[in-house]
Amino acid sequence: MEYSLRELECFVAVAEELSFTRAARRLHLAQPPLSRHIRVLEEKIGAPLFERSQKGVALTAAGAVFQEETRGILPQLLRAGEAVRRQLQGETARLRLGFVSAVLSEKLVETFRRFRQRHPQVQVMLHDMPPAEQWLGMIQGTLDGGFVGLMPDEKDRPLGMQHVPWREEPLVAFVPSGHRLGAGGSNSSRKPVSIKEFAREPFVAVSSEAAPVFATLLRELCSAAGFRPRIVLESPRAQAVAVMVAAGSGVAFLPESLAHVLGGSVEVVRLKEAPVITHVFAHPAGGSTSPAMKAFLELLSSD
């Protein structure tokens, strides 16, 4: 049985809107031709797809089955059309890359810009995602690689992944403007502060579910200083944590590069015992690495 693209579009619109009027408006189509496409589709299938009553429109049992079986067809056709468009415009490859907000910096933006200049035929699709979601995306094949933040411990690394170090920076404390440990308080000379000075402070932090490696680092640093951090608020994104600091919700240990996000709304305090953290780019290992990914890795290693 053959179905036209227009018939499928009409079915999906009515099934999702449960209204012929709204579906017609969504498709920029008059209602009579919409009803005609649905009627032709029902004749081809041999069963009614919708129940029409004064209360509205509902899927029949056959309609529900047809919706489930055709759920991915339209998106796949749209992706196919987009792939053809890219090919006609000279874009013959695609890279789907994730990144965490904590690594968003001028260097990262410059990396993407230079790659685009050198390889205009490659379409780079960027997704702001927590590390845990990036790992899942790479495992499931919906991401080609990602700037996942810190290198996981060997026991916690997903199998079949390679890691490329690409940037180092210090971990610092973010405190609200005017905080006692900032330049507006007792630390007017901006000297590095010991981590134990934060023992009684409320912390805001990136959630362990979103960034388990970073959460472990925070606990280990505080434990070495003799206390357990009192975390009052969490967020899956580092930028949101920085905003919570600016709002006065607590202090946070974050990569120094995030300071540019809020400007003077927070103060950056250097830590005596804080490590220099290494950000890594992760990607599935193996001989199936695409030419586009190989070119991107070459650019990273040359920085």
Side-chain angles (χ1 to χ4, degrees):
M1 185 69 66
E2 294 183 357
Y3 310 114
S4 72
L5 177 60
R6 197 54 164 168
E7 289 167 357
L8 291 176
E9 287 178 330
C10 290
F11 170 77
V12 169
V14 177
E16 291 181 351
E17 299 290 345
L18 293 180
S19 165
F20 278 77
T21 301
R22 291 194 298 272
R25 189 181 305 122
R26 168 173 156 179
L27 295 174
H28 305 290
L29 187 68
Q31 192 166 329
L34 170 67
S35 298
R36 186 168 58 253
H37 283 303
I38 295 296
R39 191 162 53 250
V40 170
L41 185 60
E42 289 176 326
E43 290 174 357
K44 289 181 178 180
I45 293 173
L49 299 173
F50 298 100
E51 293 179 353
R52 304 157 179 83
S53 68
Q54 292 182 345
K55 295 182 179 180
V57 176
L59 283 165
T60 64
V65 171
F66 191 72
Q67 182 186 39
E68 182 62 30
E69 293 297 325
T70 60
R71 189 178 300 276
I73 291 178
L74 278 180
Q76 184 175 352
L77 289 173
L78 291 173
R79 287 195 298 271
E82 178 65 15
V84 171
R85 183 195 65 79
R86 292 197 308 270
Q87 194 275 336
L88 291 174
Q89 294 180 351
E91 294 182 342
T92 57
R94 177 179 67 175
L95 275 182
R96 301 161 299 174
L97 304 179
F99 69 95
V100 293
S101 57
V103 305
L104 186 58
S105 62
E106 291 183 6
K107 180 177 180 180
L108 183 57
V109 173
E110 176 64 13
T111 296
F112 292 138
R113 188 187 67 81
R114 288 200 292 128
F115 182 77
R116 181 65 177 174
Q117 286 179 339
R118 296 182 187 182
H119 305 279
Q121 79 283 5
V122 180
Q123 182 192 43
V124 180
M125 303 175 67
L126 301 176
H127 305 273
D128 182 1
M129 304 168 68
E133 292 183 19
Q134 290 190 52
W135 292 121
L136 183 60
M138 284 182 271
I139 291 170
Q140 294 180 340
T142 57
L143 279 185
D144 299 308
F147 294 87
V148 295
L150 306 187
M151 172 78 82
D153 290 335
E154 189 171 353
K155 61 181 178 60
D156 297 324
R157 296 174 196 170
L159 296 176
M161 294 289 168
Q162 289 187 347
H163 304 83
V164 180
W166 71 281
R167 183 162 66 89
E168 293 185 343
E169 66 174 316
L171 191 73
V172 298
F174 279 45
V175 301
S177 181
H179 190 274
R180 67 178 182 87
L181 294 175
S186 60
N187 189 26
S188 57
S189 60
R190 297 180 180 272
K191 293 181 179 179
V193 174
S194 175
I195 290 177
K196 65 182 179 182
E197 294 292 329
F198 292 87
R200 296 185 179 180
E201 296 289 334
F203 277 77
V204 292
V206 182
S207 66
S208 57
E209 292 81 9
V213 180
F214 195 84
T216 298
L217 175 63
L218 171 63
R219 290 195 301 270
E220 291 177 346
L221 287 172
C222 294
S223 177
F227 70 97
R228 182 176 180 179
R230 179 167 61 90
I231 298 175
V232 296
L233 286 173
E234 291 185 328
S235 171
R237 301 187 184 277
Q239 286 181 330
V241 171
V243 172
M244 289 191 285
V245 173
S249 299
V251 302
F253 291 171
L254 294 168
E256 185 179 34
S257 58
L258 272 174
H260 77 278
V261 174
L262 299 172
S265 300
V266 298
E267 291 190 51
V268 173
V269 179
R270 297 196 176 278
L271 300 170
K272 289 182 180 179
E273 309 91 340
V276 172
I277 57 178
T278 300
H279 298 290
V280 299
F281 176 80
H283 66 97
S288 60
T289 304
S290 69
M293 177 58 74
K294 290 178 180 177
F296 190 77
L297 293 173
E298 288 176 3
L299 178 64
L300 280 184
S301 63
S302 67
D303 285 351

